[in-house]
């Protein structure tokens, strides 16, 4: 101890504190003693150590809290999991699955969720599809019937020769072309409407033919007479309705978007049908239907 009562030391001696043996986690039996010198605590290489930290052992002491050893390294803490190298990925030896990189499967939705999905508006169609099927049968079979009368002469029809003569007397030009277009559009469009196949285009074709028929009958009347064109007006309206509603799920178009939820394409098909009707009327007839 250095103090006021301590005699002074020589020049080679100094008043320095002494420290116990170096701290280590090795057993006491194997602990080597560091010799003391007059100048204080010495290390193994003979230099004087000012504090215990001047002579490190390279190992941390084992500390414990409540009698449980504490983790000292990243491996013990679990902060550095063994990640495979680039060469090990995909090798047969790599069979361990790492939980930190796995994604659990999505849980199965409860039955309430499925019921809520089916209760959405697009699922609650009720008898809509059956009603559209009945409408398609009415419109499609009507056009198919009249088309077969003109094309083949069935059902006491006039046949192609009879329809040519009738159209020629009605003021039509190029009666061969006009009769062929009229019969083909009615037969093909009517059959496709019944099947529910390419329904917007088929309905647009029959809209064109029935519009020309409406103009033809109206041209033979004096002024606007609805009674003269009543059937044609109803058929044209029904075909236009099918364009806007779609054929429904009871059709060959059930996988198409226009089958249950038509969009702006419906207006395009209707306008194309009306444009074809007006173009054929002015090119193949040219008369004023409201004279």
């Amino acid at each position: 101890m250095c103090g006021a009562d301590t005699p002074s030391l020589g020049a080679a001696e100094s008043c320095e504190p002494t420290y116990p043996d170096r701290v280590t986690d090795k057993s006491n039996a194997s602990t080597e003693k560091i010799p003391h010198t007059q100048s204080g605590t010495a290390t193994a290489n003979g230099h004087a150590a000012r504090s215990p930290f001047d002579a490190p052992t390279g190992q941390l002491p084992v500390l414990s809290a409540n009698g449980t050893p504490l983790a000292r390294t990243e491996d013990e803490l679990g902060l550095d999991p063994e990640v495979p190298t680039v060469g090990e990925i995909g090798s047969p030896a790599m069979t361990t699955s790492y939980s930190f990189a796995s994604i659990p499967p999505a849980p199965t939705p409860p039955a309430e969720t499925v019921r809520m999905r089916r209760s959405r508006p697009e699922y609650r169609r009720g008898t809509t599809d059956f009603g559209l099927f009945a409408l398609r049968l009415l419109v499609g079979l009507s056009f198919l019937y009249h088309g077969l009368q003109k094309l083949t002469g069935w059902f006491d029809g006039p046949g192609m020769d009879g329809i040519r003569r009738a159209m020629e007397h009605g003021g039509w030009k190029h009666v061969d072309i006009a009769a062929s277009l009229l019969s083909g559009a009615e037969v093909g469009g009517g059959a496709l409407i019944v099947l529910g196949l390419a329904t917007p285009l088929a309905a647009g074709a029959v809209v064109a033919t029935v519009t020309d028929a409406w103009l033809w009958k109206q041209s033979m009347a004096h002024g606007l007479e609805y009674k003269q064109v009543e059937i044609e007006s109803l058929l044209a309206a029904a075909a236009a309705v099918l364009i806007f509603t779609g054929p429904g799920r009871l059709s060959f178009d059930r996988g198409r978007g226009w089958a249950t939820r038509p969009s702006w394409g419906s207006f395009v098909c209707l306008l194309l049908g009306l444009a074809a009707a007006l173009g054929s009327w002015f090119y193949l007839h040219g008369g004023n239907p409201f004279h």
Side-chain angles (χ1 to χ4, degrees):
M1 296 292 294
C2 294
D5 299 334
T6 303
S8 59
L9 299 177
E13 296 178 351
S14 62
C15 182
E16 295 180 355
T18 59
Y19 299 97
D21 298 336
R22 59 179 177 178
V23 180
T24 179
D25 56 353
K26 296 181 181 180
S27 61
N28 296 331
S30 60
T31 303
E32 296 181 358
K33 299 296 182 178
I34 303 299
H36 295 277
T37 62
Q38 293 180 352
S39 60
T41 303
T43 60
N45 55 9
H47 295 287
R50 299 296 181 180
S51 70
F53 299 99
D54 292 335
T57 61
Q59 297 182 3
L60 296 175
V62 178
L63 302 178
S64 60
N66 300 327
T68 303
L70 296 177
R72 299 176 301 167
T73 64
E74 292 182 351
D75 292 336
E76 294 177 356
L77 292 173
L79 300 178
D80 188 16
E82 295 183 1
V83 181
T85 61
V86 176
E88 295 176 349
I89 296 177
S91 62
M94 181 183 173
T95 57
T96 306
S97 60
Y98 296 89
S99 59
F100 64 88
S102 61
I103 300 176
T108 304
E112 292 78 6
T113 305
V114 178
R115 286 196 296 268
M116 288 176 62
R117 290 179 180 174
R118 292 179 179 175
S119 64
R120 292 165 58 182
E122 56 265 30
Y123 290 95
R124 295 178 297 164
R125 294 181 60 84
T127 58
T128 302
D129 295 313
F130 181 78
L132 291 174
F133 174 69
L135 181 61
R136 283 184 8 241
L137 289 180
L138 175 63
V139 176
L141 290 178
S142 298
F143 281 100
L144 185 61
Y145 172 81
H146 290 290
L148 291 176
Q149 279 186 319
K150 299 178 180 67
L151 188 62
T152 62
W154 295 354
F155 313 113
D156 297 328
M160 292 299 293
D161 293 336
I163 195 63
R164 288 193 192 98
R165 290 192 297 268
M167 296 183 76
E168 187 175 6
H169 293 158
W172 288 85
K173 310 169 187 177
H174 311 290
V175 292
D176 292 335
I177 299 176
S180 299
L181 291 176
L182 177 61
S183 303
E186 288 184 342
V187 172
L192 290 176
I193 288 176
V194 171
L195 297 175
L197 181 62
T199 308
L201 299 177
V206 298
V207 164
T209 60
V210 75
T211 302
D212 279 338
W214 190 94
L215 295 173
W216 185 20
K217 286 190 174 182
Q218 183 60 44
S219 65
M220 294 185 292
H222 297 285
L224 179 61
E225 294 184 9
Y226 178 74
K227 185 177 181 180
Q228 187 79 10
V229 293
E230 183 175 2
I231 296 178
E232 286 74 14
S233 300
L234 294 176
L235 288 175
V241 167
L242 283 176
I243 294 177
F244 288 111
T245 60
R249 292 178 178 172
L250 301 178
S251 64
F252 283 94
D253 283 338
R254 60 182 176 271
R256 303 287 185 178
W258 63 66
T260 55
R261 300 179 67 85
S263 185
W264 56 268
S266 301
F267 293 97
V268 175
C269 292
L270 180 61
L271 292 177
L272 287 176
L274 294 176
L278 295 177
S280 60
W281 172 260
F282 288 109
Y283 176 71
L284 298 175
H285 192 280
N288 182 9
F290 305 104
H291 64 280

